[in-house]
Amino acid sequence: MTEPNQAILPRGVAQQEFQKAIEKFRKLLGAGNVLDQDEQLVPYMKIMMPVEESRHAPSAALIATNVEQVQGVVAICNEHKIPVWTVSTGHNLGYGSSAPHHRGQVILDLKKMNKIIDVDPELCTALVEPGVTYQQLVDYIKEKGYKLWVDPPAPSAIVGPVGNTLDRGVGYTPYAEHFLFQCGMEVVLANGKVLRTAMGGVKDSNTWQVFKWGYGPYLDGIFTQSNFGIVTKMGLWLMPQPDVFKPFAVKYQKDEDIADLVELFRPLSINGVIPNGVVFVGTLYEASATVRRSDYTTDKGATSKEIIQRIRDERKIGAWTVYGALYGTQAHVDINWKIVTELVQESGKGEIVTEEQAGSDPAFKYRADLMRGNMTLTEFGLYNWRGGGGSMWFAPVSQARGSETLKQVELATQILNKHGLDYVGEFIVTQRAMHHIIDVLFNRTDEEEMKRAHDCFAELLDEFEKNGYGVYRVNTAFMNRVADSYGPVQREINKTLKRALDPNNILAPGKSGIDLDT
């Protein structure tokens, strides 16, 4: 889709005022770090949502290299009322990519702020800037010879820990809840002041990355999934490399098995026998590592049950495949492996597969890599299932109960199939909560399918909300809709904080539905 010729401007900002701001940005950052030509902005316009790119087209992009420049950008934005949408590595695929919430916002790109400031191999902590990627951090750890693991999300290598943690993303090792394992932030506020949270405010403190709470109200949380500040440094807790790592899979052949599986494995998650999130992967999600839909059919619409069964039979894929791992000393792992295998055997169903038995199976290797913190881009195979570059993650959260699973799968499948799309999903049980992760895949080059995908996602949100489910993350096109589902009191509190911290509404207006102008 091509961008119209008319100038793209921030809402409420005249061309002359915008040009004054651009000149000041050039003086601050250098001309090469202020991008305002159409061809320069193409990387910031790539979206996977079923809406026109022009709705999320930026007016310019700014590349900052240090905290002082970020402070300078904020000062200019306040003076000229320029809204900035901050990105770090910019690979928020399925949730909006690098594109701003709405047309005309200026991108503030922090990818060149990519210093690994410190890694402590004894206390297992790191302090990094926003542009640092998981691959960069892993390479640094290996170069130093530290026995430490990171916990990346699925598209690991190109993603940054700061951006993913700020969106409260998750991974697959025992350190999967990324915000739980974050400790200390440096934040540039809308007034240009620099806040160091928790122990970072104490002069000469050496506990910034080891004690999360500090003194007084805990502030780190308000800078996640929000637009209250720009995070320029973040502390992370890293996982000590275990003596033994034992990944495994359990394959199940019936769709209805999913209800019993959650009941079987949830106690092992709560009591720590399986310390990482237990993942229950549906057929098409599992198949995406090696299979394209076009291998079986080119018909438009939802994939038939008969074809899904053929994929299971020919590719030796279960209706559901459970993935988990054990970590620790050999003695510890041996005891827990005995608990897992006996429990599965007593249940009377399920085929256990170890790493040795899996051999070169790409689906098993992908999951094992995630659970040991290895870098992998295998998840992008999902985008080959239908092709056409369309993807939106639908991510409702529920109690970790088997009774929640079939109800959700049937509801989601009914809605997706009604709109001619497929159920491509998995559940992740993290002790008491269960994430249901569905990739709504569609063809962005087909206008009719784009409309169906948009209507489908809206209906998923509506119907799941009617059943008491809320999503924990969403793409930029649906942020206002999801904010509404959490009620008017929360929306008003967020606006109250926004008015206090950012009265000129310059920091990412619209993020998570927080915007003083709407």
Side-chain angles (χ1 to χ4, degrees):
M1 298 177 189
T2 58
E3 180 57 33
N5 292 327
Q6 68 263 28
I8 300 172
L9 294 171
R11 65 188 182 194
V13 179
Q15 177 70 50
Q16 186 178 9
E17 193 72 14
F18 182 62
Q19 223 34 62
K20 288 179 183 177
I22 289 292
E23 290 308 315
K24 291 178 182 178
F25 289 138
R26 287 196 177 107
K27 186 175 180 181
L28 172 70
L29 304 172
N33 289 322
V34 178
L35 314 178
D36 60 352
Q37 300 301 305
D38 289 350
E39 63 274 12
Q40 294 176 312
L41 296 175
V42 168
Y44 300 101
M45 292 181 62
K46 172 65 177 175
I47 59 174
M48 305 184 80
M49 304 173 292
V51 295
E52 295 289 328
E53 285 183 352
S54 59
R55 284 178 51 179
H56 297 273
S59 53
L62 314 173
I63 301 174
T65 58
N66 56 52
V67 175
E68 292 74 23
Q69 288 185 348
V70 174
Q71 290 176 285
V73 167
V74 167
I76 296 168
C77 289
N78 273 305
E79 182 181 356
H80 297 279
K81 305 300 186 290
I82 305 294
V84 287
W85 183 265
T86 305
V87 301
S88 48
T89 62
H91 292 98
N92 203 19
L93 301 177
Y95 286 119
S97 306
S98 295
H101 178 268
H102 57 259
R103 180 181 174 86
Q105 292 177 311
V106 171
I107 299 289
L108 176 57
D109 189 339
L110 305 183
K111 65 186 174 188
K112 288 187 178 179
M113 293 180 63
N114 60 355
K115 295 185 183 68
I116 297 172
I117 299 163
D118 182 59
V119 174
D120 188 320
E122 296 173 346
L123 295 175
C124 307
T125 65
L127 180 64
V128 301
E129 290 186 330
V132 171
T133 64
Y134 282 101
Q135 183 70 65
Q136 182 184 349
L137 184 55
V138 165
D139 290 346
Y140 180 91
I141 289 169
K142 287 181 178 178
E143 178 187 331
K144 295 292 186 181
Y146 298 152
K147 302 297 184 182
L148 298 170
W149 282 5
V150 302
D151 182 281
S156 52
I158 61 175
V159 178
V162 173
N164 186 264
T165 301
L166 290 176
D167 255 358
R168 297 205 290 270
V170 296
Y172 297 86
T173 79
Y175 281 40
E177 286 285 356
H178 292 167
F179 184 54
L180 279 179
F181 295 94
Q182 170 273 329
C183 190
M185 296 178 183
E186 178 184 85
V187 187
V188 175
L189 301 175
N191 62 9
K193 293 182 179 179
V194 176
L195 166 71
R196 289 192 168 187
T197 66
M199 305 305 291
V202 178
K203 186 179 179 181
D204 298 327
S205 169
N206 64 2
T207 53
W208 194 18
Q209 272 68 71
V210 298
F211 185 64
K212 289 172 70 76
W213 314 117
Y215 176 75
Y218 178 68
L219 298 176
D220 295 54
I222 70 169
F223 298 108
T224 66
Q225 290 193 2
S226 80
N227 49 15
F228 300 150
I230 298 171
V231 176
T232 50
K233 293 182 180 66
M234 180 180 286
L236 309 167
W237 290 343
L238 305 175
M239 180 178 167
Q241 180 178 313
D243 293 340
V244 177
F245 164 70
K246 188 177 184 68
F248 64 89
V250 189
K251 295 186 178 183
Y252 293 84
Q253 300 307 316
K254 296 180 180 178
D255 291 321
E256 58 269 25
D257 285 341
I258 183 64
D260 292 338
L261 301 187
V262 172
E263 295 302 311
L264 186 71
F265 286 96
R266 181 192 60 243
L268 302 184
S269 178
I270 290 177
N271 64 28
V273 171
I274 302 176
N276 66 325
V278 186
V279 184
F280 305 80
V281 189
T283 299
L284 296 185
Y285 204 125
E286 179 80 347
S288 67
T290 56
V291 179
R292 296 184 181 201
R293 187 175 184 273
S294 59
D295 296 337
Y296 289 86
T297 180
T298 56
D299 293 344
K300 280 194 171 186
T303 305
S304 68
K305 290 182 179 179
E306 291 73 22
I307 289 177
I308 293 173
Q309 189 59 52
R310 273 184 59 200
I311 292 172
R312 291 174 183 173
D313 295 341
E314 293 176 11
R315 306 285 176 151
K316 304 293 189 260
I317 294 172
W320 295 97
T321 304
V322 178
Y323 286 99
L326 306 179
Y327 307 77
T329 65
Q330 188 65 61
H332 187 192
V333 169
D334 287 345
I335 290 170
N336 286 338
W337 182 238
K338 185 172 185 291
I339 293 171
V340 171
T341 54
E342 287 181 354
L343 198 65
V344 172
Q345 289 165 2
E346 288 169 7
S347 73
K349 55 186 172 183
E351 173 195 355
I352 298 177
V353 181
T354 64
E355 191 166 26
E356 294 75 21
Q357 292 166 332
S360 60
D361 176 18
F364 189 101
K365 181 181 184 307
Y366 163 55
R367 294 291 170 172
D369 279 341
L370 287 178
M371 293 186 292
R372 61 162 58 92
N374 279 359
M375 299 296 98
T376 172
L377 296 177
T378 302
E379 171 138 319
F380 291 116
L382 284 167
Y383 301 145
N384 295 325
W385 171 246
R386 274 188 180 267
S391 168
M392 294 179 289
W393 291 104
F394 179 67
V397 178
S398 67
Q399 294 179 340
R401 296 185 189 276
S403 58
E404 298 284 351
T405 55
L406 277 179
K407 180 168 65 173
Q408 287 196 20
V409 171
E410 289 171 1
L411 179 59
T413 302
Q414 175 190 350
I415 295 168
L416 286 155
N417 289 177
K418 169 185 168 183
H419 294 278
L421 303 174
D422 295 322
Y423 173 81
V424 181
E426 66 179 15
F427 291 93
I428 306 174
V429 170
T430 54
Q431 298 183 350
R432 297 157 184 83
M434 183 165 64
H435 295 67
H436 190 184
I437 310 297
I438 302 170
D439 199 352
V440 181
L441 297 164
F442 60 96
N443 185 354
R444 270 187 53 83
T445 68
D446 184 328
E447 289 190 13
E448 187 268 339
E449 191 161 308
M450 283 254 287
K451 183 180 185 307
R452 284 193 279 114
H454 188 281
D455 293 346
C456 176
F457 201 87
E459 187 172 346
L460 284 168
L461 288 171
D462 289 345
E463 294 304 314
F464 271 69
E465 183 182 343
K466 288 177 185 175
N467 284 273
Y469 303 117
V471 301
Y472 84 103
R473 288 176 76 183
V474 77
N475 63 74
T476 46
F478 287 89
M479 282 182 172
N480 281 325
R481 168 64 187 83
V482 170
D484 283 340
S485 70
Y486 281 83
V489 175
Q490 179 165 312
R491 296 211 75 174
E492 185 52 43
I493 288 173
N494 285 338
K495 276 198 172 185
T496 300
L497 290 169
K498 185 69 168 172
R499 289 188 199 99
L501 294 172
D502 182 15
N504 289 326
N505 201 33
I506 62 166
L507 301 183
K511 173 72 175 177
S512 297
I514 306 168
D515 190 344
L516 297 183
D517 291 341
T518 59

